[in-house]
Amino acid sequence: MNQTPIFTLRTYLPAGIFAPFAFALLLACGSDIDAPSDSTTTASGGGGATSSTTINGGAGGSGGSVGTGGDGGEGLCTIPANATVGLLKHTNDSFGGYTLLAPNGSTRSYLLDECGQVVHQWQHGSRPGQSTYLLENGDLLRAEKVGGMTFQAGGSGGRVVRYNWEGDTLWTFAYSTDTYRQHHDVELLPNGNVLLIAWEKKTAAEATAAGRDPSLLAQNELWPDHIIEVVPEGPADGKIVWRWNSWDHLIQDHDPNQANYGVPSEHPELIDINFANNGNADWLHINSIDYNAAHDQIILSAHNLNEVWIIDHSTTSSEAASHQGGNSGKGGDLLYRWGNPQTYGAGTSADERLFGQHDAQWIGNGLSGAGEVLIFNNGANRPEGDYSTVEQIALPVDANGQYSLLPDGFFGPTDPTWLYKAEPATDFFSRNISGAQRLANGNTMVCSGANGTLFEVSEAGDVVWQYLSPSGAMGQIVKQGESIPTNNQGEPTNQVFRAYRYAADFAGLAGRDLTPQGTLE
């Protein structure tokens, strides 16, 4: 492997934060690949633990980037010798296909070919709030920001919009008032309904009546998250047919006078209302949602608790508000949680595995690791230092969708089955947003969102494709050879919530004009 760094993120991002990428090597389970001396492979049996492979990869700093202006690899694309934005690396081991890019600061979405050429774009009414998806019929489903001074927090949206290929608005559903607001992510269900994440405002009085410690109400209110399922109706309406609310599944050991008083460690299926990283109103900050049709379950990423949850979607709304019913028989209680057992009174900080994670999703059928869960672990405030990883975990689930605890009272696994991290680890770090996607050839697409860097890593750990978004604040495009501007906090302005790769034979692209129109930059 070529170990020569050919592009350095320090040339256009804040000094002292980023480093050049090298490459990674994975010792795959059962593989005859020799591991380098800095690769670690661990396995522990019993109690549902699984073998674990750790990729010690090259870095790319917060951007998760790998080099290269002039030497972009052996791929079919031409990369300028002085490239600072756009396509930075392309090799023949890339999955190819098309990348959907919806920059945080822009009112446009772009479809790029593997050479970074724009083949299609959409104009929107506002910036993303936050996720954008290309559907199998070529439509675009997008969460968007709305105005208003309430719920001013990261990921705030307020409406969901569906566009056709030509950019016409087919459907809009606004979910934003002074008491609730959609945020972060949406999920299209197989039946055409849409799942939304939303905040719901609770007053200080309501929060303390639910057992919240008043000292944890710094903003004098609380925004617990809830999930709704919407049936689209007409061009600008929808019917809510299912609802799950975290507020219905609380426990606390602060106020014995409240009905939900109890011992959190005895109820891992409930949410301790007083487990909080801070006293902010945005207590849970759920930032992703994904659906599993086989078990009719939903996975959520609870960012501020540093864990992922699985809940039962087979319930009615009344069952979802209770502790019984549905396929699981447990109503809307948590079926599974992983990442930080301290949230339910088990273990210590040494047992914490997730740190401000995003984008928890089941790996789809037919893909490497199918049925397991892929997570972008942002890694902010890790005890050993800030660095990001992409982690794949095998769930302790049976054929009926039931989850089991380990003998020590934790939910397993103890270790991921696959993990990508840089070497040194601190060279890959995205403090917020970001995501990862398993591709059909076994590669993994990574969006290091805080600095707008997209890269594709092979199963063997090599970075085989890389792109730096040139779309900065207010959608302004950075020209080739120029540096990415930073805001007044010193952060790059080309942030991307997530990016997705679609195969060349993806159904939504059939019959479309995908003629390259030139690069953004």
Side-chain angles (χ1 to χ4, degrees), residues 1 23-27 33-41 54 56:
M1 288 180 289
F23 294 96
L25 185 64
L26 163 66
L27 178 63
I33 299 174
D34 292 330
S37 60
D38 59 359
S39 175
T40 58
T41 302
T54 299
N56 289 313

Side-chain angles (χ1 to χ4, degrees), residues 350-366:
D351 301 301
E352 190 171 352
R353 294 292 179 266
L354 295 179
F355 301 86
Q357 78 292 330
H358 286 74
D359 198 18
Q361 59 180 278
W362 277 284
I363 299 174
N365 293 335

